[in-house]
Amino acid sequence: MNNIIFTREGGVKLNGLLKNVASSDIYLLMDTHSRDYCMEYLQLDIPACNRIVLMPGEHCKSLEGVKKVWQVLSDNCARRNAVLVNLGGGVITDMGGFAASCFKRGIACVNVPTTLLSQIDASVGGKTGVNFNGLKNEIGTFSIPRYVIIDNGFLSTLSQRQVLSGFAEMLKHGLLSNVDYWNELMSVDLSDVGGTEFLELIRKSVAVKSAIVQEDPCEKGVRRALNFGHTVGHAIESVAIDDDLDICHGDAVAYGMIAELYLSVKKMGFDLELYKNIRSFIRGLYPRCMGVDNPERLYQLMLHDKKNDYPGVNFTLLQSIGKFVVNQYCVYDEIIEALKQI
Amino acid sequence: MNNIIFTREGGVKLNGLLKNVASSDIYLLMDTHSRDYCMEYLQLDIPACNRIVLMPGEHCKSLEGVKKVWQVLSDNCARRNAVLVNLGGGVITDMGGFAASCFKRGIACVNVPTTLLSQIDASVGGKTGVNFNGLKNEIGTFSIPRYVIIDNGFLSTLSQRQVLSGFAEMLKHGLLSNVDYWNELMSVDLSDVGGTEFLELIRKSVAVKSAIVQEDPCEKGVRRALNFGHTVGHAIESVAIDDDLDICHGDAVAYGMIAELYLSVKKMGFDLELYKNIRSFIRGLYPRCMGVDNPERLYQLMLHDKKNDYPGVNFTLLQSIGKFVVNQYCVYDEIIEALKQI
């Protein structure tokens, strides 16, 4: 975590980190949202031609988008000691990280994530990528950013739904770590995500992810723990995309965790009462989950998930809070029953 | 060098290495040349849909070419344990290496270089890439292939010019290593490049490069030694491209070495008589060098080379055979005089 800076003065920190880099060697990648709401705050004094602004949204996370970044870098004769600053949510940090990792075989990048989801998840751990052929993150690299600046001052511009979307990943980290942190999360005040107390919760959450990633940077084994809630969650997201439903990543993961905790009760002895408490907590916090009324369809989507390397569906399950087991294969009947609990 | 296999039975070795990989997980990238002349020799039993054939030539070394590889992998639902076999010259191993390093954030690849140049140089050292925006290898990664199979049986299909092109890199490795190896190269029989003796020379040449790369995998310092002859060589190649001259990479590097050895005589005390011997040897072996009649133009091209990070031209120079010094900046008058020696 040495390269991750938790601060409420992101602009000052960034300028300090870059003080020995010529301003003509600094490039700033944004989408129109982060340009309008976050750029001024950074006070980054670089030439206008070094600013790269993309349209917002997942559909821009493509090779075409990355080519635009490469074109600006190349047209400006960016050198190997250039630094790309990625200012935005997960789409920008994923794309910018990929662009930097391949330009002249790798220039440095600094991630400045501006959403809770990207602060917790997307900007930490070295996964970069773009969507290709209709598949999420089909093309990408493992590449660690030089620095990540996590400033929760940005979060006050977010809607409650955007906050909840990131908070689902914090809940996941809570379930993967220990009861104390989980209990802190259960009693958090989500109306003050820009405060110093919440910054401390973010730091703990990132520490959970970092510890797991450090043990297995290239996702050969234990890193799959971070997939908890996501096997079902990704299937819900796929239905949402196909049916044009309004579901955030965090909503899908939150409800995915209910189903996967139920499998944990059935197969790993996870405590039934605790499961019921968690289910109530999630149901109370997140909008009613759409897209789960057809378990058969969700099952078929899971079968084709890229993380599967076995004829069956691979889950990370919990024995208790903090005790996870990766690579648990579940069969059709078990999965259908679990999906009915959402 | 553990992952580099020198053999005269490349097909047998490859099949042995892949015996535990399901044939549906093996993909074979070729151009039409290596398909026609080299594929049969490999005896690789994989589904027809797993064969990817590109057009030959440097102009196909592009993002569009890489997208074709990704499309086939993605359409066939290639998994993370898939293996991409790159069969061809440097264009194929560079492109295939890049494609593999980014597909699903990295699948394994095995390079089977079929030209002398790619056996000596392009398939060893982990540089992958494609041309972009008119610039060579502007986009790429550092990524080590799982294995490299070097079988000089392929070389008997090459023309003498193709052999000489690769041999220039061997001469470079000779000058960077020691007098014994250099003398072996001076007395080599280039009419028998498919024999066991020549395979031993290839092994020595690759060992020189591997040792330097191992010390500095990401080209921060000593790896620049491998750039010997290339500062001038790349400028000659640029003139050749602009003026549509018939110059191979090796021709340009060979004549680049003459100019850079002259700079070594002038600035580093390299022995004058030895320089003259080497110049005679190169002039005797390589076609008369075109594209060098305008030193001013070559100088301007060198000034804009991407490896420069200083206002001037950066060379690797030699004190004697085996004693190189990187990051030597030379001024206009010195460079013009050196270019006139070619």
Side-chain angles (χ1 to χ4, degrees), chain A residues 63 67 70-71 74-75 80 102-105 127-128 132-133 135 137-142 219, chain B residues 63 67 70-71 74-75 80 102-105 127-128 132-133 135 137-142 219:
Chain A
L63 282 177
K67 271 177 78 174
W70 286 332
Q71 194 71 49
S74 186
D75 285 347
R80 286 188 181 164
C102 297
F103 184 74
K104 289 192 197 290
R105 300 200 185 94
K127 282 187 175 181
T128 78
F132 177 77
N133 208 27
L135 295 163
N137 299 320
E138 184 81 335
I139 305 301
T141 52
F142 287 102
E219 203 168 22
Chain B
L63 282 176
K67 270 177 79 174
W70 286 334
Q71 193 72 47
S74 186
D75 286 347
R80 286 189 180 166
C102 297
F103 184 74
K104 289 192 197 293
R105 299 199 185 93
K127 282 187 176 182
T128 78
F132 177 76
N133 207 28
L135 296 163
N137 299 319
E138 183 81 336
I139 305 300
T141 51
F142 286 102
E219 204 169 21

Side-chain angles (χ1 to χ4, degrees), chain B residues 53-316:
Chain B
V53 183
L54 303 180
M55 295 304 291
E58 185 77 19
H59 63 283
C60 297
K61 189 176 161 181
S62 63
L63 282 176
E64 286 310 306
V66 168
K67 270 177 79 174
K68 285 179 191 161
V69 182
W70 286 334
Q71 193 72 47
V72 172
L73 291 168
S74 186
D75 286 347
N76 281 285
C77 301
R79 303 182 297 174
R80 286 189 180 166
N81 55 355
V83 177
L84 182 65
V85 177
N86 301 312
L87 177 72
V91 168
I92 288 295
T93 56
D94 280 8
M95 279 178 74
F98 179 56
S101 72
C102 297
F103 184 74
K104 289 192 197 293
R105 299 199 185 93
I107 61 171
C109 76
V110 177
N111 282 347
V112 187
T114 57
T115 65
L116 181 55
L117 183 59
S118 62
Q119 291 188 350
I120 294 299
D121 194 43
S123 73
V124 180
K127 282 187 176 182
T128 78
V130 294
N131 305 331
F132 177 76
N133 207 28
L135 296 163
K136 278 187 72 128
N137 299 319
E138 183 81 336
I139 305 300
T141 51
F142 286 102
S143 179
I144 306 289
R146 181 78 58 91
Y147 297 105
V148 182
I149 296 177
I150 292 181
D151 182 343
N152 64 328
F154 289 122
L155 306 185
S156 47
T157 66
L158 299 181
S159 69
Q160 184 70 0
R161 286 211 68 188
Q162 286 175 300
V163 169
L164 281 174
S165 188
F167 190 61
E169 295 289 349
M170 294 176 78
L171 292 176
K172 181 190 78 179
H173 293 160
L175 290 172
L176 293 174
S177 59
N178 61 69
V179 173
D180 288 347
Y181 180 50
W182 172 256
N183 287 336
E184 276 192 88
L185 292 172
M186 296 275 279
S187 59
V188 75
D189 174 9
L190 286 179
S191 68
D192 187 25
V193 291
T196 48
E197 279 181 34
F198 198 78
L199 184 60
E200 192 49 39
L201 288 180
I202 292 176
R203 187 200 302 268
K204 286 182 183 173
S205 186
V206 170
V208 173
K209 176 166 181 181
S210 288
I212 291 172
V213 167
Q214 202 159 6
E215 210 175 315
D216 174 25
C218 292
E219 204 169 21
K220 306 283 185 204
V222 71
R223 186 167 179 164
R224 292 188 176 187
L226 296 171
N227 207 35
F228 180 68
H230 285 63
T231 307
V232 173
H234 281 157
I236 297 174
E237 277 189 292
S238 295
V239 169
I241 291 168
D242 287 349
D243 294 1
D244 207 18
L245 304 174
D246 179 28
I247 297 178
C248 290
H249 177 70
D251 305 347
V253 169
Y255 282 95
M257 287 193 289
I258 293 179
E260 298 184 20
L261 275 179
Y262 184 81
L263 286 169
S264 301
V265 170
K266 290 289 165 183
K267 292 182 67 92
M268 312 298 287
F270 190 90
D271 185 80
L272 179 64
E273 288 308 308
L274 181 56
Y275 156 72
K276 286 181 180 169
N277 283 346
I278 296 170
R279 186 176 64 178
S280 299
F281 179 74
I282 289 175
R283 284 181 176 166
L285 209 52
Y286 286 84
R288 197 179 68 77
C289 192
M290 298 176 291
V292 294
D293 50 353
N294 190 340
E296 179 68 38
R297 181 176 173 195
L298 290 171
Y299 174 77
Q300 288 301 328
L301 285 162
M302 282 181 248
L303 264 188
H304 292 96
D305 190 292
K306 70 173 164 175
K307 291 200 176 72
N308 272 323
D309 49 11
Y310 187 84
V313 181
N314 182 343
F315 291 90
T316 296

Side-chain angles (χ1 to χ4, degrees), chain A residues 164 171 254-255 258-259 275-289 338-342:
Chain A
L164 281 174
L171 293 175
Y255 281 94
I258 293 179
Y275 156 73
K276 286 181 180 171
N277 283 345
I278 295 170
R279 185 175 65 179
S280 299
F281 178 74
I282 289 175
R283 284 180 176 167
L285 208 52
Y286 286 83
R288 196 180 69 76
C289 193
L339 291 172
K340 288 180 177 166
Q341 312 303 315
I342 298 179

